[in-house]
Amino acid sequence: MKRKVQIVPPENFENLQLTPAKEKAAGVPGVVNAMKHISQELGIWQGVKLLNKMNQKDGFDCPGCAWPDPDGKRSSLGEYCENGVKAIAEEATNRRVTPDFFKKNSVETLSQQTDYWIGKSGRITHPMYLAKGSSHYEQVSWEKAFDIAASHFAKLESPDDAVFYTSGRTSNEAAYMYQLFARQLGTNNLPDCSNMCHESSGKGLIETTGIGKGSVTLEDLHQAEVIMVIGQNPGTNHPRMLSALAKCKENGGQVVSINPIPEAGNNVFVDPQNPMAIIKGGDKLNDIYMQVKINGDVALLKAVMLLMLEKEKEKPGSVFDLEFINEHTKGYDDFIKELEQNDFNEAVKESGIPESQVRQLAQLMIENDKIIICWAMGLTQHENGVQNIREVANLLFLKGSIGKPGAGTCPVRGHSNVQGDRTMGIWEKPKEAFLDNLDKRFNLSTPREHGYDAVEAIKAMDEGKVKIFMAMGGNFISATPDSEFTGKAVQNVDLTIQVSTKLNRSHLVTGKEALIFPCVSRSEEDTQNGKRQFITVENSMGIVHKSEGKFKPASKELLSEHAIIAKLADKIFGQKSTVNWLDMIQDYDNVREHIEATIPGFDNFNQRVRKPGGFYLPNGARERKFNTATGKANFTVNPIPKRKVQNGNFIMMTIRTHDQYNTTIYGMDDRYRGILNERRVVLMNPEDMKANGFKSESIVHLKSIHNGESRIANNFKIVPYNIARGCVGTYFPETNVLVHVDNTAKVSNTPASKFIEIEIKQA
Ligand SMILES: Nc1nc2c(c(=O)[nH]1)N[C@H]1C(S)=C(S)[C@@H](COP(=O)(O)OP(=O)(O)OC[C@H]3O[C@@H](n4cnc5c(=O)[nH]c(N)nc54)[C@H](O)[C@@H]3O)O[C@H]1N2
Ligand SMILES: Nc1nc2c(c(=O)[nH]1)N[C@H]1C(S)=C(S)[C@@H](COP(=O)(O)OP(=O)(O)OC[C@H]3O[C@@H](n4cnc5c(=O)[nH]c(N)nc54)[C@H](O)[C@@H]3O)O[C@H]1N2
Ligand SMILES: [Mo]
C-alpha cells in the first residue's frame, strides 16, 4: 500500500507579531538570543563549554557558514556568531529520535508536522529501515542495513540508475570517499546542494576568471577601498563577515549594499566580541544602500559602466586599467560595443534605483580601483544567474580589480564545506584529468559521461529512471524546488538512503523502501581503530584546515560518514575491489594520501594541514593567472534581462529568516526584520498594498505561473515592508512548492528561487 505522506508543510498559521525592523545587527540582543537557543537545546554550562571550542585552531569548524576564520590571532571569547551558536545548539541538542520514537509515530503522522517540529525532535540514534508498504520505521543493525542497501545495488541494471546527492557539510575526506564510491560503481550522478546555490557563480567565474571560486582573502577585504555587497544578507547568513566590513571601514574603505530590502547587518553592526563596540552602539557599515528591483542588477551595473565609459572617453586611462585590459583580458571590444548600445536612462529605470544614486556609485567606481564585489543567492538564483556573475566580472576587469591586494571576486559560500566538496570531486560534470588520476591511483575505469545535477535528478526520478537515491546529508525534499512534483518523483524510487544527523522531511517522504544511516556530527569525537581522527574542510576563501570534534557522539550507535561509506562500499565491491575501503577508515591520513595523489594543490597534505590555521589552495585568479579557454580574463556580453511579469502580478524572492539554516528551522522569529512567530508571510511594499487593497496581516493565497503552468500555496499574511515596488519576499522552504522545476538559470540549471512570478489573491 502506498503511504500517504504530506510533502508540503501544513498551511496553518502560528501567531504573527510585528515589530519594527532592526537597524542593528548582532550586539547584546544577538548574544541573548544565541544563549536562549543553546540553553533550550543543551543547557547553559554544556553550551558554554562547547562554544569555547568552536573555530579555535585546535577545535572544530563551525557547521554554520563557510566564512573564513582570521589567519592570525583568534578571539579568546571564541570565534562565533549568534547564528553559529544556533547551528551548534541544533546539532548538539539533548533531544533524541530513538527507535521508540519511530515505533510511536508513523511516517504519515510525522509528515503532517511542520519542518520546525520535525527538526526539533532531535538527533537520530540508530540505523532505521522503512520496509515496502510499511507505515513505521523499524530498528535494524548496521549489518542488516548495509545488507539491505547492498541487495538493491546488486539488482541495478545500470550504475546510472543510482543517484548520490551531497549537502555541503560533509568533510573533504568523506566527500572524497563518497565520489570515489559512486565512480567505482560507474556513475557521475553526483548532484549536490551547490547545484541550487552557487552553481551560477562557478559557471560564470570559470568562464571569465578560470576558477570557479572567489579570488580574495580576508586581508583583501580589510584593504579594499570599496566593497559592494550584492544580493546577500550577511547580518543573518554570514555574520562574521560583518567584522571584515567593519575593518574595511576602519581602514577608510566604503561599503555599498545592493538589495531589494535594507538588511539589518548592512546598516549598523555591533561586534558581540567587542565590549567597547557594544557600549558605543556600533559602526554604521553601509555608506550607500541601493534598493534595486529584483533582478535589476545587470541593468544597474550597465548604467554604472556607461557612466564610467563616458569619463574614460574624456581622458583615456583615467578610469579603466588599460594595462590590465591589454595584458590580461580578451573580449574588451565586443563588450564595449554592446555596452554602448544600452540606453542609460532605460538601464536606470530597469534597475529601479534613483539616477542620483547610480551616479554616486559610478563616482565611487571611477575614483577607486581596489574594489571587491561580494554576492550570494540574490545574484545566482535567477534565470540569468550566470550572466549576473559575468557582469560582475566585467566591472572588476575594467578596473583591473582582480589579482591584487584589496580587490577581486567574493562569492560568499553557503554550507561550511560546500567549496571543499567540489574540490574533492563531488560534481556531476567532473574533469577528465581528475578521472584519469582516479583511474591511475585505484586501477579503475571511471565513467566519462556527465551525470544528473539536482534538477535533472528530480526529472529522472519523475520518469522512473532512478532505482536508488542516496543522500549524504541535506534535506532534498524540502530544499529542492517544486515540492509536490519532487516529492512524488522521489516516491517512485525503489530505495532512498539518508545519511543524517537530524530528522527532516526527507526521512518521511521517501522511496518505496527507505534507510536512515545516522552519523556523527562535526562537533563530536570520531574515533577509528582506537585513534581520534580529525577531518578537514575548505572555507569560502580556499583555506584548507582541520576540524576535530570535541564532544561525545549523540549515541553509541552512530558511525562517521567515512565509516558508513567504507563499510557500504566494502560490502558491495567485496574482495574484488581495487580500492581498499577499510584501510581508509583505519586512519583518515590514508584518505588524505589519496587526495594528495589525485588532486592538485594538496602536496604534503598530512603535514601542512596539521599546522595551525591550515593552508591556502592555489588560486590562479589571485595571481592574475587566468586558466580560461583563452588563457586570459574574458570579458563577456550580457544584455539586460528582459524577463517581465504580467501586469498586476508580483516578482517573488524566497529568502531565509534569521532563525533558520536552510530547511532547518531554529525558531519562528525573523528578528532583524521584526517579524515574529510566523513564517507564512509576504513582505510587501505599503504602496503596493494600497494599490491592491491589502491591509497589514491580510490573509492571501499565492499562485505562481511558469510557462502557462500554475502552482498554489495557501494562507500567508501580508506584512508591510520596505521592499522595492512590484517585488515581494517569502520564506523558503514554505514557498518551494511555488518554484516550478523548469524555472532555472540558463547554463547552471540553478532553480531561479529569487524570481517567481506570482498572483496574490485575498483569501
Ligand atoms: N544563519 C544562516 N546562515 C546561512 C544559511 C542559513 O540558512 N542560515 N544558509 C547558508 C547557505 S547554504 C547559503 S547559500 C547562504 C545564503 O546567503 P544569502 O544569499 O544571504 O541568503 P538569502 O536569504 O537567500 O538572501 C539573499 C539576499 O539577496 C537579496 N535578493 C534577492 N533577490 C535579489 C536580486 O535580484 N538582486 C539583489 N541585489 N538582491 C536580491 C535578498 O533580499 C536577500 O537579502 O547562507 C549560508 N549561511
Ligand atoms: N526556494 C529556495 N530554495 C532553496 C534556496 C533558496 O534560497 N530558496 N536555497 C538553496 C540553497 S542555497 C541550498 S545550499 C540548499 C540546501 O539544501 P540541503 O543542503 O539539502 O539542505 P539543508 O537544510 O542544509 O540540510 C539539512 C539537513 O542536513 C543534515 N545534516 C546536518 N549536519 C549534517 C552532517 O554533519 N552530516 C550529515 N550527513 N547530515 C547532516 C540534517 O539531517 C539536516 O536536517 O537549498 C536550496 N533551496
Ligand atoms: Mo547554499
Side-chain angles (χ1 to χ4, degrees):
M1 210 186 57
K2 215 169 160 199
R3 287 177 286 266
K4 283 204 215 61
V5 287
Q6 209 166 303
I7 298 165
V8 177
E11 294 180 334
N12 308 335
F13 288 118
E14 297 294 323
N15 192 6
L16 172 65
Q17 246 180 292
L18 293 177
T19 63
K22 305 281 173 295
E23 280 215 330
K24 298 186 183 188
V28 174
V31 176
V32 171
N33 195 36
M35 284 304 156
K36 192 178 89 194
H37 277 266
I38 210 152
S39 51
Q40 274 165 6
E41 297 291 340
L42 71 166
I44 194 79
W45 292 117
Q46 212 185 333
V48 169
K49 219 169 78 187
L50 193 95
L51 293 181
N52 284 334
K53 286 291 172 202
M54 204 152 107
N55 291 341
Q56 295 300 318
K57 286 177 180 166
D58 63 344
F60 58 89
D61 184 55
C62 174
C65 70
W67 191 254
D69 306 306
D71 283 336
K73 197 171 163 287
R74 305 265 161 104
S75 158
S76 56
L77 270 169
E79 277 292 334
Y80 54 82
C81 67
E82 174 192 349
N83 276 346
V85 173
K86 290 191 216 159
I88 207 68
E90 195 73 22
E91 159 171 317
T93 179
N94 287 329
R95 300 184 193 142
R96 296 289 178 266
V97 172
T98 59
D100 200 43
F101 173 92
F102 284 113
K103 216 179 259 170
K104 285 196 189 118
N105 299 288
S106 72
V107 283
E108 285 181 10
T109 49
L110 288 173
S111 74
Q112 286 155 12
Q113 299 289 350
T114 60
D115 290 71
Y116 176 51
W117 188 97
I118 294 168
K120 286 290 176 202
S121 42
R123 289 286 297 275
I124 307 168
T125 58
H126 289 74
M128 303 298 303
Y129 173 54
L130 184 63
K132 201 167 182 168
S134 170
S135 57
H136 290 70
Y137 272 99
E138 61 190 275
Q139 184 186 346
V140 283
S141 65
W142 278 107
E143 198 55 30
K144 173 103 189 280
F146 291 137
D147 277 338
I148 295 168
S151 72
H152 278 266
F153 277 101
K155 276 193 296 197
L156 285 182
E157 277 171 25
S158 154
D160 290 326
D161 295 347
V163 170
F164 299 90
Y165 175 71
T166 314
S167 167
R169 277 210 189 165
T170 295
S171 68
N172 288 333
E173 291 77 6
Y176 184 83
M177 293 172 72
Y178 190 54
Q179 62 80 30
L180 183 63
F181 171 55
R183 292 186 170 121
Q184 185 179 15
L185 187 76
T187 185
N188 285 315
N189 285 338
L190 284 154
D192 65 351
C193 66
S194 223
N195 295 144
M196 301 181 271
C197 183
H198 267 295
E199 194 70 61
S200 304
S201 307
K203 285 283 187 308
L205 288 173
I206 286 176
E207 183 185 352
T208 55
T209 70
I211 181 166
K213 309 176 182 183
S215 72
V216 300
T217 64
L218 203 49
E219 190 48 41
D220 287 324
L221 280 136
H222 299 164
Q223 293 179 23
E225 291 161 347
V226 182
I227 298 179
M228 279 202 233
V229 180
I230 314 188
Q232 194 204 341
N233 177 16
T236 285
N237 296 315
H238 306 91
R240 287 182 304 140
M241 176 175 166
L242 301 183
S243 314
L245 297 181
K247 271 257 174 57
C248 167
K249 294 211 56 168
E250 252 171 61
N251 296 339
Q254 308 200 47
V255 177
V256 181
S257 146
I258 300 168
N259 199 309
I261 50 186
E263 302 282 24
N266 293 347
N267 279 330
V268 181
F269 163 59
V270 190
D271 186 348
Q273 291 166 27
N274 176 353
M276 270 322 285
I278 293 175
I279 294 161
K280 233 172 57 190
D283 309 309
K284 185 163 180 352
L285 288 183
N286 212 14
D287 296 285
I288 314 180
Y289 162 65
M290 306 179 89
Q291 188 156 49
V292 72
K293 277 204 290 212
I294 292 180
N295 209 21
D297 303 279
V298 168
L300 169 65
L301 294 174
K302 287 270 189 240
V304 166
M305 289 192 285
L306 278 169
L307 294 173
M308 291 163 68
L309 180 64
E310 199 177 281
K311 261 271 178 307
E312 170 71 17
K313 279 186 172 163
E314 283 169 18
K315 193 171 166 216
S318 63
V319 180
F320 295 171
D321 184 340
L322 297 178
E323 211 176 291
F324 176 82
I325 293 171
N326 288 332
E327 200 178 321
H328 292 289
T329 69
K330 269 244 158 43
Y332 173 76
D333 293 339
D334 288 343
F335 164 73
I336 294 291
K337 211 163 104 196
E338 195 275 341
L339 178 62
E340 286 181 311
Q341 282 165 14
N342 290 281
D343 177 62
F344 173 73
N345 294 322
E346 226 7 70
V348 170
K349 196 172 135 235
E350 282 292 310
S351 75
I353 295 168
E355 183 182 327
S356 59
Q357 267 202 331
V358 176
R359 290 191 178 276
Q360 206 184 345
L361 178 58
Q363 199 54 34
L364 273 185
M365 295 296 106
I366 288 165
E367 286 167 4
N368 296 287
D369 49 31
K370 282 158 94 185
I371 299 159
I372 290 178
I373 304 186
C374 302
W375 70 89
M377 298 304 100
L379 284 195
T380 64
Q381 296 175 333
H382 283 290
E383 188 179 82
N384 47 282
V386 177
Q387 281 93 330
N388 286 346
I389 310 315
R390 300 194 325 178
E391 201 67 356
V392 161
N394 282 339
L395 174 53
L396 293 173
F397 295 163
L398 286 178
K399 297 296 299 183
S401 260
I402 188 161
K404 66 177 185 189
T409 51
C410 184
V412 184
R413 297 281 159 180
H415 269 302
S416 54
N417 197 39
V418 61
Q419 187 159 315
D421 290 349
R422 271 293 163 91
T423 308
M424 292 298 118
I426 301 287
W427 197 17
E428 76 284 355
K429 298 180 182 69
K431 291 219 180 88
E432 288 274 326
F434 169 65
L435 296 176
D436 290 343
N437 289 349
L438 292 183
D439 287 354
K440 216 159 73 202
R441 175 91 179 167
F442 298 104
N443 197 13
L444 296 172
S445 50
T446 51
R448 302 295 142 138
E449 203 177 315
H450 288 172
Y452 301 133
D453 63 24
V455 165
E456 287 164 349
I458 295 168
K459 291 184 176 172
M461 288 191 257
D462 172 59
E463 291 164 20
K465 288 186 189 156
V466 179
K467 305 294 172 210
I468 301 176
F469 175 83
M470 179 164 178
M472 188 54 64
N475 181 2
F476 195 79
I477 291 288
S478 299
T480 49
D482 225 344
S483 313
E484 285 284 359
F485 180 84
T486 300
K488 291 206 177 92
V490 169
Q491 288 173 305
N492 286 336
V493 176
D494 288 341
L495 173 71
T496 48
I497 307 172
Q498 281 287 144
V499 181
S500 308
T501 50
K502 298 199 70 180
L503 192 69
N504 64 48
R505 198 165 289 281
S506 298
H507 304 105
L508 309 173
V509 180
T510 64
K512 291 165 198 153
E513 290 171 61
L515 283 164
I516 303 176
F517 293 167
C519 68
V520 174
S521 75
R522 191 177 290 172
S523 55
E524 293 167 346
E525 291 168 1
D526 181 357
T527 304
Q528 304 290 342
N529 197 19
K531 219 174 109 188
R532 282 285 290 283
Q533 306 291 325
F534 66 85
I535 52 122
T536 66
V537 293
E538 175 185 342
N539 65 30
S540 208
M541 287 168 188
I543 302 167
V544 178
H545 62 96
K546 58 186 267 216
S547 167
E548 189 174 333
K550 295 289 174 195
F551 299 91
K552 287 268 164 288
S555 142
K556 286 202 186 76
E557 287 290 318
L558 304 184
L559 291 181
S560 71
E561 294 179 339
H562 317 66
I564 290 170
I565 302 161
K567 289 181 180 189
L568 181 62
D570 184 62
K571 184 133 254 164
I572 291 169
F573 302 120
Q575 299 292 320
K576 289 180 302 200
S577 177
T578 55
V579 180
N580 188 342
W581 284 102
L582 297 181
D583 177 62
M584 285 191 239
I585 52 168
Q586 290 292 301
D587 190 331
Y588 296 169
D589 277 0
N590 301 345
V591 188
R592 286 185 280 271
E593 276 173 25
H594 292 312
I595 294 172
E596 176 174 343
T598 48
I599 302 178
F602 285 87
D603 314 271
N604 298 322
F605 190 8
N606 273 312
Q607 286 102 306
R608 282 200 294 160
V609 84
R610 283 180 161 82
K611 291 216 187 91
F615 61 91
Y616 278 95
L617 284 175
N619 185 313
R622 196 170 282 164
E623 295 154 28
R624 296 196 166 177
K625 288 196 197 106
F626 300 103
N627 301 313
T628 59
T630 62
K632 304 269 179 181
N634 289 316
F635 278 100
T636 52
V637 169
N638 310 292
I640 295 176
K642 290 277 171 276
R643 196 169 181 186
K644 291 274 172 315
V645 300
Q646 216 185 308
N647 236 344
N649 288 354
F650 288 85
I651 308 173
M652 177 178 82
M653 59 178 186
T654 57
I655 52 177
R656 294 154 169 80
T657 72
H658 193 61
D659 251 3
Q660 75 183 82
Y661 196 93
N662 301 336
T663 69
T664 300
I665 314 300
Y666 300 143
M668 293 302 292
D669 297 343
D670 195 3
R671 195 164 53 82
Y672 288 168
R673 298 193 186 111
I675 300 167
L676 307 183
N677 207 24
E678 185 56 77
R679 296 182 50 84
R680 302 190 71 83
V681 292
V682 178
L683 281 59
M684 188 183 275
N685 186 297
E687 295 297 316
D688 285 331
M689 286 172 57
K690 223 191 292 163
N692 287 272
F694 297 130
K695 300 219 158 53
S696 177
E697 303 193 34
S698 284
I699 296 176
V700 294
H701 301 322
L702 313 180
K703 177 161 128 190
S704 70
I705 301 111
H706 186 82
N707 287 349
E709 285 186 40
S710 58
R711 305 279 191 263
I712 287 172
N714 292 320
N715 288 349
F716 289 83
K717 286 185 180 166
I718 298 279
V719 169
Y721 206 85
N722 182 6
I723 181 170
R725 295 262 342 235
C727 302
V728 294
T730 57
Y731 302 144
F732 108 89
E734 283 79 358
T735 43
N736 255 339
V737 64
L738 295 171
V739 187
H740 195 290
V741 71
D742 289 331
N743 181 11
T744 61
K746 294 188 197 113
V747 185
S748 67
N749 211 20
T750 296
S753 311
K754 300 288 187 268
F755 196 112
I756 301 131
E757 174 168 3
I758 60 164
E759 263 175 48
I760 305 182
K761 286 258 149 65
Q762 191 100 37

